């Protein structure tokens, strides 16, 4: 991997900010609110932000960058697809349970459902995420799907995944702000009580986490190599003791290997269906 140290710094920062975000949302629910329960009251509603931050944001972000982890590059393409799909399915499950908690609380407290922009966009994001998951499984995990379909759909799959991830963070920021405005009365949100300041920092953490994930996901030098390139890197060259030595990309692109390697890269970029 090129710029490995930069990648490790970005990955470590993303992991740290993500974990701190989870700690912050748990602190908000357990210290400033009524805790966590499943009783139809406010404690049940608190599952909504906790599961959104933990699952729909942190797990989804992890699923987006899992292909970038260089220590997974020796795993097969199918294994990485299953891990990617599994993390996304887990994130979707967290989102569904969070919606049930919100609707259950609203119904018990006689609060109208689906009246705010946050609720409109939030439900839309969950539905689109479900569609993204179903189509992704159909395209990339069903062997009968033509390779040409996968290659044609891949750019849309990547774009829609990043778009949904960014949108969900935006919707979450709307939700926590709405909760503070409605939930704080004495003192009010505008008076900047400790809870408001604390949750505002949670919002900043979510934005930073999203920015780091997007940065990692959009750096082409950190992409998982194609299967053909990985095969060449793992099998070419050899030392005096008979052990195989992996050549660098620059070595592969020099001398008599130039045309062959270039052709391999062109074909792999054309038909490769890795979600990275």
């Amino acid at each position: 991997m090129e710029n490995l140290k930069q990648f490790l710094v970005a990955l470590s920062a993303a992991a740290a900010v993500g974990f701190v975000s989870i700690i912050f949302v748990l602190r908000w629910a357990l210290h400033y609110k009524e805790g966590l329960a499943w009783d139809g009251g406010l404690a049940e509603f608190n599952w909504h932000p906790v599961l959104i931050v933990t699952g729909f944001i942190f797990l989804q972000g992890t699923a987006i960058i899992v292909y970038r982890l260089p220590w997974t590059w020796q795993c097969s393409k199918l294994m990485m697809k299953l891990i990617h799909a599994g993390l996304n399915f887990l994130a979707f499950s967290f989102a569904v349970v969070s919606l049930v908690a919100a609707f259950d609380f609203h119904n018990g407290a006689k609060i109208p459902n689906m009246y705010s922009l946050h609720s409109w966009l939030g439900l839309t994001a969950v539905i689109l995420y479900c569609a993204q998951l179903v189509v992704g499984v159909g395209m990339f995990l069903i062997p009968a799907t033509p390779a040409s379909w996968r290659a044609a759909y891949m750019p849309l799959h990547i774009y829609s995944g990043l778009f949904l991830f960014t949108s969900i963070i935006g919707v979450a920021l709307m939700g926590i702000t709405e909760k503070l405005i409605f939930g704080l009365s004495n003192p009010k949100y505008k008076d900047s009580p400790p809870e408001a300041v604390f949750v505002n920092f949670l919002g900043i953490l979510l934005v930073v986490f999203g920015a780091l994930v997007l940065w990692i996901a959009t750096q082409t030098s950190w992409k998982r190599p194609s299967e053909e390139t990985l095969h060449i890197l793992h099998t070419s060259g050899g030392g005096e003791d008979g052990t195989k030595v992996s050549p660098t990309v620059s070595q592969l692109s020099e001398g008599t290997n130039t045309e062959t390697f270039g052709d391999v890269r062109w074909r792999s970029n054309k038909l490769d269906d890795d979600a990275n």
Side-chain angles (χ1 to χ4, degrees), residues 67 77-87 141:
Y67 280 102
K77 182 189 297 183
L78 177 60
M79 176 61 69
M80 294 310 301
K81 287 180 180 179
L82 291 173
I83 292 173
H84 178 72
L87 288 170
L141 286 178

Side-chain angles (χ1 to χ4, degrees), residues 99-121:
L99 289 182
V100 173
F103 279 107
D104 197 25
F105 167 70
H106 279 203
N107 293 335
K110 307 301 180 183
I111 299 174
N113 291 307
M114 303 303 299
Y115 68 89
S116 67
L117 182 60
H118 166 71
S119 60
W120 293 0
L121 295 178

Side-chain angles (χ1 to χ4, degrees), residues 4 40 45 66 75 92 113 115 150 214 221 234:
L4 178 60
F45 178 84
V66 70
C75 297
F92 175 71
N113 291 307
Y115 68 89
R150 298 179 181 181
L214 292 177
S221 62
H234 291 153

Side-chain angles (χ1 to χ4, degrees), residues 8-213:
L8 293 177
V9 170
L11 180 65
S12 300
V17 173
F19 280 121
V20 173
S21 299
I22 295 174
I23 293 173
F24 263 57
V25 74
L26 285 171
R27 173 72 173 176
W28 184 26
L30 298 176
H31 178 72
Y32 290 103
K33 296 301 181 185
E34 294 75 15
L36 296 169
W38 202 268
D39 55 5
L42 286 171
E44 180 175 341
F45 178 84
N46 290 338
W47 280 109
H48 181 70
V50 169
L51 293 176
I52 290 295
V53 172
T54 304
F56 220 22
I57 295 178
F58 181 75
L59 285 181
Q60 184 186 174
T62 303
I64 288 174
I65 63 176
V66 70
Y67 280 102
R68 295 293 199 263
L69 306 180
W71 45 87
T72 68
W73 290 356
Q74 294 186 1
C75 297
S76 68
K77 182 189 297 183
L78 177 60
M79 176 61 69
M80 294 310 301
K81 287 180 180 179
L82 291 173
I83 292 173
H84 178 72
L87 288 170
N88 277 296
F89 180 78
L90 190 59
F92 175 71
S93 301
F94 276 42
V96 170
V97 176
S98 76
L99 289 182
V100 173
F103 279 107
D104 197 25
F105 167 70
H106 279 203
N107 293 335
K110 307 301 180 183
I111 299 174
N113 291 307
M114 303 303 299
Y115 68 89
S116 67
L117 182 60
H118 166 71
S119 60
W120 293 0
L121 295 178
L123 185 59
T124 300
V126 173
I127 294 172
L128 291 177
Y129 194 83
C130 179
Q132 167 92 339
L133 188 59
V134 171
V135 176
V137 169
M139 282 289 183
F140 303 116
L141 286 178
I142 296 180
T145 303
S148 59
W149 290 16
R150 298 179 181 181
Y153 177 68
M154 177 56 70
L156 178 60
H157 181 73
I158 295 174
Y159 169 79
S160 56
L162 296 179
F163 173 75
L164 281 171
F165 176 69
T166 305
S167 300
I168 288 165
I169 291 178
V171 174
L173 297 179
M174 295 171 61
I176 61 179
T177 302
E178 180 181 294
K179 183 63 177 176
L180 289 174
I181 292 174
F182 290 156
L184 296 177
S185 56
N186 187 26
K188 295 182 179 181
Y189 181 41
K190 66 182 181 63
D191 297 321
S192 297
E195 180 181 350
V197 175
F198 182 83
V199 178
N200 284 346
F201 274 107
L202 169 61
I204 293 174
L205 289 171
L206 295 179
V207 172
V208 173
F209 176 73
L212 289 169
V213 169

